[in-house]
Amino acid sequence: MGTHADQELDVTGLQCPMPLLKAKLALNALAPAQILKVIATDPGSERDFHAFVQQSRHQILAFEKHAETYSYWIQKG
């Protein structure tokens, strides 16, 4: 993945709603247009993160799904 991340957040092992809550806190600390990479293992995070960006000004620039991990590159709106 060639998308640069300004900050990386590892929330592996955490279950809903913690991955999204920790991502929201991390996004709050970033400047607009900066990118947060989130690595999660909770299958529910896929639904949660896509719903979250639809209700916010943030944008998922890239998403990767592997055997046990879900990676999101979220640009702060």
Side-chain angles (χ1 to χ4, degrees):
M1 170 52 56
T3 304
H4 161 77
D6 297 290
Q7 183 180 340
E8 188 169 308
L9 178 65
D10 183 347
V11 291
T12 57
L14 297 179
Q15 297 299 312
C16 181
M18 292 309 294
L20 184 58
L21 292 175
K22 288 188 175 285
K24 285 180 181 181
L25 290 173
L27 283 165
N28 286 343
L30 294 178
Q34 284 191 306
I35 297 170
L36 173 67
K37 178 182 178 184
V38 181
I39 303 166
T41 51
D42 179 11
S45 69
E46 187 174 356
R47 176 196 64 239
D48 293 345
F49 278 89
H50 287 281
F52 168 65
V53 297
Q54 288 179 348
Q55 299 170 6
S56 69
R57 288 190 263 171
H58 309 309
Q59 178 182 3
I60 294 178
L61 300 178
F63 169 67
E64 289 182 1
K65 185 172 167 179
H66 296 285
E68 296 182 13
T69 62
Y70 302 81
S71 299
Y72 309 87
W73 285 260
I74 304 171
Q75 183 174 41
K76 181 172 179 171

